[in-house]
Amino acid sequence: MSKLNIGVFVGSLRRESFSRKIAKAVAGLLPEDFQSKLVDIGGLSLYNQDEDTPETTPPAWVVFRQEVKALDGLLFVTPEYNRSVTPVLKNALDIASRPYGQNVWSGKPGVLISVSPGQLGAFGAYHHLQQTMAYLNIILLNQPEVYISNVPSLLDAKGEISNPQTQKFLQTFAAAFAQWVRLFPVKQTN
C-alpha cells in the first residue's frame, strides 16, 4: 500500500525557526501510512505575473507547482509577522495558485498551526491564512485549532517538545489531521 504524501510548509526561513521545530514534531506524529516532506519555499523568486508565461516561467515555479499537485495533504506551520502572514509563505501560496485557473492547491486537505514566542500564538497570521486558504480552496481542518504561544518554553535544548501536555495535544491534532486527509480521494500521479 502506498503512503499518503504530506507537504510541510514552514513560514519561517530562520535556521533555528520555532515553526520548523514544531512542524518536524507534528510530522513525526503522523501514522505509519503517511510520509511527510518539508517543501522548500525559500528559494522561490517573488511572484510576478509578467514572468509567468509558457516561455518565461521560472523553472523553480514549475517544479514547485508539480510538487504541490502531487501531495495528498498540506501541513502549514508559521510564525506571525506584524499581525499577518509571512512573505515567504504568501509568495508560495501565490505561485502555486497561478496562472489563473491552474490552482494546484485546490481541493487538498490541509491544516494550519501558528507559532509564537509571545502570548498570542500568532493568532493574526492564522486568521489571515484561513482567509487566503479558503479562497484557494484548501480545505482546512478547523478543529482543533492550533495556536502555540510561549514556544521556547515548550522545547528542550535539542529543539524537541519537552512539555507533556503539548506533546499529547499535538498527538491528538496529528491523529485528527490524518483522519481528515483520509476522507479525501487519493489522486493518482503518473
Side-chain angles (χ1 to χ4, degrees):
M1 178 205 273
S2 63
K3 295 191 176 200
L4 293 165
N5 292 305
I6 304 302
V8 180
F9 301 87
V10 176
S12 172
L13 300 178
R14 196 170 64 87
R15 270 189 305 276
E16 292 298 317
S17 163
F18 297 126
S19 296
R20 184 175 291 105
K21 291 173 184 178
I22 295 296
K24 181 180 174 186
V26 172
L29 296 171
L30 292 171
E32 289 183 11
D33 60 327
F34 284 71
Q35 62 185 13
S36 62
K37 179 185 180 205
L38 181 65
V39 180
D40 180 20
I41 59 175
L44 298 170
S45 61
L46 289 177
Y47 184 77
N48 178 343
Q49 188 173 350
D50 292 340
E51 295 177 18
D52 203 4
T53 70
E55 300 80 29
T56 62
T57 302
W61 294 4
V62 173
V63 169
F64 179 66
R65 289 168 177 162
Q66 291 169 342
E67 191 171 7
V68 171
K69 188 175 184 176
L71 295 171
D72 299 307
L74 312 166
L75 168 62
F76 296 91
V77 184
T78 190
E80 177 177 282
Y81 287 6
N82 301 314
R83 295 283 188 261
S84 191
V85 180
T86 64
V88 69
L89 187 50
K90 179 63 168 77
N91 187 53
L93 289 166
D94 291 344
I95 288 170
S97 72
R98 300 289 183 196
Y100 183 78
Q102 297 178 36
N103 173 14
V104 295
W105 302 110
S106 185
K108 294 191 181 292
V111 289
L112 179 55
I113 298 172
S114 59
V115 176
S116 172
Q119 295 293 321
L120 297 178
F123 183 86
Y126 189 103
H127 287 279
H128 281 182
L129 282 168
Q130 275 185 317
Q131 292 173 358
T132 300
M133 291 175 179
Y135 179 77
L136 296 177
N137 199 34
I138 296 171
I139 306 169
L140 289 175
L141 175 68
N142 291 311
Q143 292 294 326
E145 291 181 308
V146 182
Y147 312 94
I148 299 178
S149 57
N150 300 312
V151 70
S153 69
L154 305 175
L155 302 170
D156 63 20
K158 295 180 185 176
E160 296 173 3
I161 296 172
S162 59
N163 181 289
Q165 292 149 327
T166 301
Q167 182 73 18
K168 184 177 178 182
F169 175 72
L170 291 178
Q171 181 65 59
T172 300
F173 173 77
F177 177 47
Q179 183 178 5
W180 181 243
V181 171
R182 288 185 183 115
L183 294 175
F184 292 78
V186 176
K187 294 180 175 67
Q188 299 299 317
T189 57
N190 297 334

